[in-house]
Amino acid sequence: MLLKIERIYSKPFDLDGYRILVDRKWARGISKADAKLDQWEKAIAPSTELREWFNHIDDRFDEFERKYIDELKQNPATDDFVKLVAKKLQSGDVILLYGAKNTAHNNAVVLKHYLTERLHLTSRDDHSLINLLYNDGQTNHDKRLNAAIDWLGNHPDVIDKYNLSINGDKLYEGSKTKALSHQELLALITKD
């Protein structure tokens, strides 16, 4: 499953995913019915003051990104939004929609980067492991954990990244002596 961004005015629409408008203002000229939205998350958008200051001026983008990330970290709606995206990524793509003409410098670009880091989706391997823990067809957490341990055995870079070790059918973090559960492994790889 992928986290994508798309300009809401793009045609044809990408309908292969959960579509979330991440702008505070509605996109002019698009009816709500035609937008094919699953959700409109105004609360996650940059503040009006920040948006007006940025005004899509390319030279301001780096500072806009820093300020917007600071806003996200202080925004009470952010944690619920991150959980929503993580949940929706379990079953399909998530598409962050924006209205700006500038496709390289806009709030959706920043938000995608922020979510990628928050959800530790910086590599296909991380994403694959998260999907395995959620979607391997097993309902039993122990079976999911065993499948993840088997998968990790073939991905030493991920083991190193999270400071994990495998001993038989048990998975450990760092120097801890208690084996990780399914939920503990999932929390470790999706933590802030």
Side-chain angles (χ1 to χ4, degrees):
M1 306 336 153
L2 298 173
L3 180 61
K4 305 176 185 178
I5 59 173
E6 177 184 305
R7 188 165 187 252
I8 196 164
Y9 298 102
S10 297
K11 299 280 181 165
F13 290 150
D14 182 352
L15 300 176
D16 292 334
Y18 192 82
R19 296 171 54 84
I20 307 171
L21 179 62
V22 293
D23 287 347
R24 191 169 299 276
K25 295 173 77 177
W26 185 257
R28 290 184 194 143
I30 301 271
S31 75
K32 291 184 180 177
D34 289 343
K36 307 287 187 209
L37 288 186
D38 293 298
Q39 193 154 338
W40 181 13
E41 278 292 330
K42 293 183 248 186
I44 208 69
S47 66
T48 301
E49 297 78 21
L50 180 58
R51 179 181 48 80
E52 289 175 353
W53 169 83
F54 173 47
N55 200 27
H56 299 284
I57 297 171
D58 287 350
D59 290 344
R60 293 183 180 173
F61 183 72
D62 290 342
E63 189 172 351
F64 168 76
E65 182 174 28
R66 283 190 296 277
K67 289 180 176 183
Y68 182 32
I69 288 173
D70 285 345
E71 284 187 357
L72 288 169
K73 289 177 179 176
Q74 296 174 27
N75 185 340
T78 298
D79 285 341
D80 286 341
F81 181 72
V82 171
K83 289 175 187 172
L84 168 77
V85 170
K87 181 179 179 185
K88 295 301 178 182
L89 282 170
Q90 294 172 24
S91 58
D93 295 342
V94 172
I95 304 162
L96 305 176
L97 300 164
Y98 65 93
K101 290 179 184 176
N102 188 330
T103 59
H105 298 120
N106 62 66
N107 61 301
V109 170
V110 176
L111 188 56
K112 180 183 179 193
H113 175 76
Y114 177 79
L115 288 167
T116 298
E117 287 192 353
R118 258 310 277 270
L119 296 172
H120 296 278
L121 301 176
T122 53
S123 75
R124 282 194 183 273
D125 287 342
D126 288 352
H127 203 141
S128 295
L129 180 56
I130 290 168
N131 284 336
L132 180 66
L133 288 166
Y134 279 122
N135 295 327
D136 72 345
Q138 301 288 345
T139 55
N140 181 296
H141 285 218
D142 290 337
K143 289 181 181 177
R144 288 184 192 186
L145 180 61
N146 288 339
I149 291 169
D150 290 344
W151 183 91
L152 282 164
N154 295 314
H155 294 84
D157 53 326
V158 178
I159 290 174
D160 292 342
K161 178 178 182 177
Y162 294 105
N163 193 24
L164 299 170
S165 62
I166 299 173
N167 187 355
D169 63 350
K170 302 285 186 212
L171 185 65
Y172 300 90
E173 179 189 5
S175 60
K176 294 181 181 173
T177 57
K178 180 183 170 281
L180 290 173
S181 69
H182 170 268
Q183 291 298 333
E184 290 166 333
L185 176 58
L186 194 52
L188 175 67
I189 62 175
T190 57
K191 73 179 178 183
D192 294 339

